[in-house]
């Protein structure tokens, strides 16, 4: 899962208004028009620059994440006045965009204009209709943790400078937590959201102990005194908030986590920006799951052939025979797993193997940008087992993080075994392909080179997640791990999870699925371990529509690949195609296709 904090929390961050005002644009011109472009192109380029200039002033934490460091000492304001300022500004930007004749723009600017309009519509809808600020405590915990993590995780400036910014932000976090208590209505907050944030809240202390305290001696005099005072004041503020979470929000939370068909459909259109409707996604996902299960059975037949005690594998199996064969073949992979303390080290090994394979087989150009495997910060745990956190598009040459969540200390042996069966050695190979090479890491490194800063800042989740899923199949088809059938089985299982995610998301939020229905899809139909399925059940409650991005994005990438092959014929070159796709700057996949294949922009 791609966990660029800016991409993951942009809608929430756009609710905020900050006391500071923008001074100069983050780049000379975020969507600069060439001298030969029309007056309308130049007007749009100026509007794109204004969006980034003023919009990032309203969202300082997001600004830090994309590499605009003018507001590193500021923190988002989610008060009623802050939300009003944000709504007024967003309406003003929409009015300015309405004043530009999109039909006369260059194709690149037509795409950016559609992306910008979708983002503005999303912000206003979330602010006024979805109202995440009133019922989702993750908005506030994400901002509080991200405010520090974004400053300290990467060396974009000297440590003393970042420490001074961190001190200024820590001074403001108590006010943010107070805004959370004022804004959140327990009657609207779902129980799972409240419990999750209650577990995460004290994670901010881990950030301080990891990033701030070991480096505090680099400040002297008044700067050091201010830092110490900010930490000292933050601790009781966090504990006060913890007491409210434990004593008020968790016991009183009674909101409905299911968002319903009407809001789901609107959010799906805005967050995915895809041409596929909810109904089309469901139809394609159910058909694809049936196809993948058939393919998994074919692989299982190869794995189990001549193996003593293996279940029958007839050419025309019953449903029970198919299930038994796939499960038996998977058991062989599940038993080949790393030890409890070996997961991160084995992930490093898989990164080396995948990188070498991509280079040797000319899959796609591999950039020199660095990537590091790290332990997932505590404040971000509880949502996924891994993510890729790329540097902001304005921060050049900084590390990409492939973050792995460590196994919790309080897990029982049975929980640990279940987790490691799910993330066995071959599955970690698949995970590394998805998150790092040639998935999220490589896609982010390529996309950041696109000249449109607007497009980089508003990079599409379905493009990024779809590319990562697409590359899993590309490497399997190219013979990764010497065509090991158990690896292919794990790749198909990982893909089946993506397909199942889209079904699960609709099932829960639109069709009112019970936990039993959800667990049947995850455990029986897509072969996930109990611990993985339990975590996904929580995740599906905590979010909506995001789980569909994997399948929708992958389907659009597969569709685009087939169309490109048909157009190029025998001249089709895979590496050239992949480089061309990633050169589009991660817009919604439909726009990448329209640009790449010279189709009408719409």
């Amino acid at each position: 899962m791609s966990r660029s904090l800016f991409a993951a929390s942009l809608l929430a961050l756009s609710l905020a208004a900050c006391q500071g005002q923008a001074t100069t644009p983050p780049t000379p011109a975020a969507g600069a028009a060439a001298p030969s472009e029309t007056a309308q192109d130049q007007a749009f380029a100026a509007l794109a620059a204004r969006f980034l200039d003023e919009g990032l002033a309203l969202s300082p934490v997001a600004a830090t994440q994309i590499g605009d460091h003018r507001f590193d000492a500021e923190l988002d304001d989610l008060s009623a006045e802050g939300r009003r300022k944000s709504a007024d500004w967003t309406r003003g930007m929409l009015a300015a965009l309405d004043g530009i004749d999109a039909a006369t723009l260059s194709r690149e600017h037509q795409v950016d204009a559609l992306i910008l309009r979708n983002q503005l519509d999303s912000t206003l809808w979330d602010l006024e209709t979805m109202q995440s600020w009133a019922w989702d405590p993750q908005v506030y915990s994400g901002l509080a943790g991200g405010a520090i993590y974004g400053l300290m995780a990467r060396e974009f400036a000297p440590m003393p400078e970042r420490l001074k910014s961190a001190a200024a932000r820590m001074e403001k976090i108590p006010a943010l937590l107070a805004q959370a208590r004022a804004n959140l209505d327990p009657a609207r907050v779902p129980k799972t959201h409240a419990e999750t944030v209650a577990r995460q809240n004290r994670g901010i202390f881990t950030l301080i102990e990891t990033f701030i305290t070991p480096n505090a001696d680099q400040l002297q005099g008044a700067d050091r005194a201010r830092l110490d005072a900010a930490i000292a004041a933050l601790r009781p503020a966090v504990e006060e908030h913890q007491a409210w979470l434990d004593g008020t929000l968790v016991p009183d939370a009674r909101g409905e986590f299911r968002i319903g068909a009407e809001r789901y459909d609107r959010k799906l259109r805005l967050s995915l920006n895809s041409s596929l409707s909810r109904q089309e996604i469901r139809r394609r996902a159910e058909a694809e799951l049936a196809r993948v299960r058939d393919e998994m059975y074919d692989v299982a037949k190869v794995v189990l052939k001549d193996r003593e005690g293996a279940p029958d594998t007839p050419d025309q199996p019953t449903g029970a025979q198919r299930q038994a064969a796939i499960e038996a073949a998977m058991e062989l992979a599940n038993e080949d797993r790393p030890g409890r303390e070996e997961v991160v080290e084995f992930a490093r090994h898989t990164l080396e193997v995948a990188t070498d394979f991509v280079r040797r087989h000319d899959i796609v150009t591999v950039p020199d940008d660095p990537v590091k495997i790290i332990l997932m910060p505590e404040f971000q745990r509880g949502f996924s087992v891994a993510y890729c956190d790329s540097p902001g598009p304005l921060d050049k040459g900084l590390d990409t993080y492939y973050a792995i969540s460590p196994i919790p200390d309080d897990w029982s042996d049975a929980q640990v075994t279940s987790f490691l069966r799910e993330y066995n050695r071959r599955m970690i190979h698949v995970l590394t392909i998805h998150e790092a090479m040639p998935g999220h890491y490589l896609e982010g490194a390529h996309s950041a080179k696109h000249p449109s800063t607007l497009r980089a800042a508003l990079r599409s989740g379905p493009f990024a997640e779809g590319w990562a899923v697409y590359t899993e199949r590309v490497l399997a088809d190219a013979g990764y791990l010497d065509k090991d059938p158990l690896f292919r089985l794990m790749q198909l299982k990982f893909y089946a999870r993506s397909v199942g995610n889209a079904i699960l998301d609709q099932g829960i939020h639109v069709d009112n699925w019970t936990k039993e229905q959800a667990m049947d899809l995850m455990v029986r139909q897509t072969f996930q371990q109990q611990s993985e399925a339990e975590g996904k059940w929580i995740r599906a409650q905590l979010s909506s529509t995001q789980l569909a991005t994997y399948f929708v994005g992958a389907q659009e990438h597969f569709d685009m690949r087939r169309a490109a092959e048909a157009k190029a014929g025998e001249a089709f070159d895979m590496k050239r195609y992949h480089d061309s796709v990633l050169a589009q700057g991660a817009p919604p996949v439909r726009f990448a296709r329209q640009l790449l294949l010279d189709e009408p922009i719409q």
Side-chain angles (χ1 to χ4, degrees), residues 332-361:
L332 301 175
N334 294 342
E335 287 303 307
D336 183 15
R337 56 186 185 266
R340 179 174 187 151
E341 306 299 330
E342 298 172 356
V343 173
V344 174
E345 189 57 40
F346 188 73
R348 290 193 176 96
H349 164 71
T350 63
L351 181 59
E352 294 174 359
V353 173
T355 302
D356 177 68
F357 185 88
V358 170
R359 286 186 167 132
R360 284 191 295 108
H361 288 77

Side-chain angles (χ1 to χ4, degrees), residues 140-160:
Y140 304 91
S141 61
L143 277 174
I148 297 175
Y149 181 76
L151 289 172
M152 304 306 298
R154 290 189 174 89
E155 297 180 4
F156 60 82
M159 177 61 73

Side-chain angles (χ1 to χ4, degrees), residues 179-198:
Q179 287 172 2
R181 296 192 292 274
N183 293 343
L184 292 169
D185 178 1
R188 297 178 63 184
V189 176
K191 178 71 74 173
T192 302
H193 291 63
E195 291 173 344
T196 298
V197 170

